[in-house]
Amino acid sequence: MPEQPFVLPEFYLPHPARLNPHLDRAREHSKAWARELDMIDVPQHGTVIWTEHDLDSHDYALLCAYTHPDAGAEELDLITDWYVWVFYFDDHFLELYKRTGDIDSARGYLDRLELFMPAEGEITAAPENPVERGLTDLWNRTVPHRSAGWRRRFADSTKALLDESLWELANINEGRLANPIEYVEMRRKVGGAPWSANLVEHAVHAEVPGAIAASRPMEVLRDCFADSVHLRNDLFSYQREVQDEGELSNGVLVFEKFLGLGTQEAADAVNDLITSRLHQFEHTALTEVPALLDDHCVDPAARAATFAYVKGLQDWQSGGHEWHLRSSRYMNEGALAGRGGPDLGTSAARIFASVLATAPQRLRAYGSTPFSAAGAPRPALDLPSPPRLSPHLDSCRRRNVDWARRTGLLDGVVWDERKLRAADLPRCAAGIHPDATADALDVTSDWLTWRTYADDHYPLVFGATRDVAGAKAANLRLSAFMPAAGVPMPAPTTPLEAGLADLWPRTTAESRPDVRRAVESMTSSWLWELANQAQNRIPDPIDYVEMRRRTFGADLTMSLSRDRAVPPALHRTRPVQTLEHAAADVASLANDLYSYRKEIQYEGELHNAVLVVRNFLDCTEDRAVEVVTDLIHARSAEFDHAAATELPALYRDDTTEETLLGFVRELRDWMAGIVHWHENSARYTEPELGYHPATIPVFGGPTGIGTSSLRISSLLPTP
């Protein structure tokens, strides 16, 4: 046995693992089921995937007995069969396609599996191998007991689990290692934890209500669960995957290469990220889910189902860890030493020690000192696309000032004319929408002005008083100023509402649905920021990156710069989503570099990638700037890779190719225009950092607060 490449770290284990009493029956049943389907000792294309010893030593029944401790005997049999099937698929795909690099045959193999997961109706295709036969049997035994919504979710997560194996295979063939953001996103799909979360609902007989299933809190719970499960698996499977199989899809390896760490340091950093994700899970379950249930008036039975699901995810985390300590599939030598027996006292002691060991990381997230001195060098970004500027820029600048004055944005509290001119938002519009007509450029410029004013308005008007409820009420009012065709618009009562009331009729009818969704997503994400500010809580790094796309308003500004629509079916594909997410990260993280001093020192902000990285890695400011800069360059390189190697697979005809190539050009202009604006706008320069309109209250100094409070009250909507 080769020496282990690192010592397994001390894991955060906040919940005790429990064992299902029906374990022995599940072991016996699953072996008989696997043998019946030719998964044991039967060669596949000349290769034996599993021997009986392999199946026994992996002990998937033990995994399911730990992860579903309260499931009934028949339910545990079914769930164990699902896990036997999914692990067999993983090894079957490895031996037949990953080791050979045969991507064309792999694509055909995966395409067939969709035939055995119909959302409606019966399976009509004839299975040809153990994977297809197993899926047929499991699908027929599972879906009759679940709702249509659950079936769709489970089919989607199963398809993603299968299809994204091609991403791993392509990376192996190219010798390409993912960047950390790409890795976490893709690992959720190919790693299977979202698939497992669906089975948790099935096991506890408690489906998440459809009204909240797609909400941010429930998505965060699923994502935290998935990330923790996958990253823990990466620690235990590093030796097998990286050293034996030549695998590149492993979080420890990603951290090693991207952060320049030794293997032990990288393993410790991955464990810190697991801890952070579990802290985020707890925070969301305790603070966001109850409010979500109240907001949607969820009835008591559905509330109980939701909390049973949350508990099921917690059981899976604890049980999955316990199984990794015992399965021969993983690197776990000595991991059980000193753990003692399963008695309550020993479990409680382990939990207490675990919480105590991770307390510094939790406390650090709440330990930021607002308005601390900050100093970061001017960003040094090297992006491939040069900016193109609209010829209508100068005339747009003049009209933009008039528009802001007419709609009341130059209120002397949030903004005045000096702040508007310093920001120079028409320059940003001219860069992200260089081929726009003069009228279209005015619309883009005014939208950017409204969005930036709103971004300054929320922390000033609602953040200083921790008025999350007031911000939520303001959001509801704003939606009324983006009505459907024929629906009357109310009279605006604030500059924010007046600006939106003017912009909505000037926005093209075909783009209004996307714009409305983008505005509502952006303003709701600002509630998340306000809640964190009220708690003085620095966000978890993964949650931050994913929310930053919303708080930055990436969807909104992308929709403004888009002259051609991508059909919905194409827009949902992974290559197109990769391009959008990578572009959004380039722009929003660049904003964090340029605005770091403004936000940290002058505004007391917590939502900046440099601060988030400093807190997570517990490193210096300079090192955090380097990491954020490297992330920007890595996401830019990923954008280019996806455009060059993944997008062509979607070309079906000349029209599709032209549409997608135009989409790529628009996103390149969007990224280049935003970075160019940051480089040239005075908004982040020293003369503007300390400047405020005369009546604005500045924390820490004499401000004439009474007059300022009266002025701020004029920015709130009339009750």
Side-chain angles (χ1 to χ4, degrees), residues 262-342:
T263 306
Q264 184 68 58
E265 293 176 300
D268 292 339
V270 167
N271 187 49
D272 287 342
L273 189 55
I274 295 171
T275 302
S276 181
R277 295 308 276 158
L278 290 174
H279 287 169
Q280 177 68 47
F281 183 99
E282 295 163 353
H283 176 84
T284 303
L286 292 172
T287 67
E288 295 189 43
V289 171
L292 175 72
L293 297 173
D294 290 342
D295 288 345
H296 286 80
C297 300
V298 175
D299 63 60
R303 285 173 184 258
T306 302
F307 288 123
Y309 167 70
V310 173
K311 180 179 179 296
L313 295 180
Q314 291 175 330
D315 285 336
W316 210 110
Q317 289 280 359
S318 303
H321 180 85
E322 204 71 19
W323 175 70
H324 276 84
L325 296 175
R326 290 167 166 78
S327 174
S328 70
R329 190 178 176 90
Y330 300 111
M331 180 188 88
N332 50 26
E333 185 179 349
L336 287 170
R339 285 175 58 88

Side-chain angles (χ1 to χ4, degrees), residues 632-652:
I632 293 170
H633 289 145
R635 291 299 265 170
S636 175
E638 183 188 345
F639 180 97
D640 292 339
H641 177 269
T645 66
E646 297 182 24
L647 204 64
L650 301 179
Y651 300 163
R652 296 290 182 264

Side-chain angles (χ1 to χ4, degrees), residues 444-590:
T444 300
S445 177
D446 294 346
W447 264 114
L448 291 174
T449 301
W450 180 86
R451 176 249 171 259
T452 308
Y453 172 89
D455 191 39
D456 289 348
H457 172 102
Y458 270 66
L460 173 65
V461 175
F462 303 114
T465 57
R466 308 294 189 256
D467 186 10
V468 177
K472 188 179 294 187
N475 284 358
L476 292 174
R477 286 270 307 174
L478 289 178
S479 293
F481 294 93
M482 299 179 288
V487 177
M489 187 185 292
T493 60
T494 68
L496 201 56
E497 293 176 356
L500 189 53
D502 180 87
L503 282 166
W504 191 246
R506 297 163 59 201
T507 302
T508 60
E510 59 270 20
S511 65
R512 285 179 191 168
D514 288 340
V515 169
R516 177 178 172 128
R517 280 192 297 270
V519 170
E520 291 178 340
S521 173
M522 178 180 69
T523 55
S524 67
S525 73
W526 293 343
L527 302 180
W528 171 80
E529 289 186 319
L530 292 172
N532 286 335
Q533 288 290 147
Q535 300 163 19
N536 196 41
R537 176 178 177 270
I538 300 172
D540 159 81
I542 295 176
D543 197 37
Y544 176 76
V545 168
E546 293 174 341
M547 287 300 290
R548 187 69 181 104
R549 298 166 191 161
R550 301 188 195 184
T551 63
F552 184 68
D555 286 347
L556 173 62
T557 55
M558 284 179 182
S559 67
L560 298 174
S561 65
R562 191 161 293 155
D563 289 324
R564 57 177 59 79
V566 176
L570 280 177
H571 192 261
R572 288 191 295 269
T573 59
R574 184 173 63 78
V576 172
Q577 290 295 299
T578 295
L579 290 168
E580 282 201 342
H581 288 177
D585 293 343
V586 167
S588 58
L589 294 176

Side-chain angles (χ1 to χ4, degrees), residues 57 151 307 371 608 715:
S57 60
R151 290 199 299 271
F307 288 123
F371 306 101
N608 186 286
L715 303 177

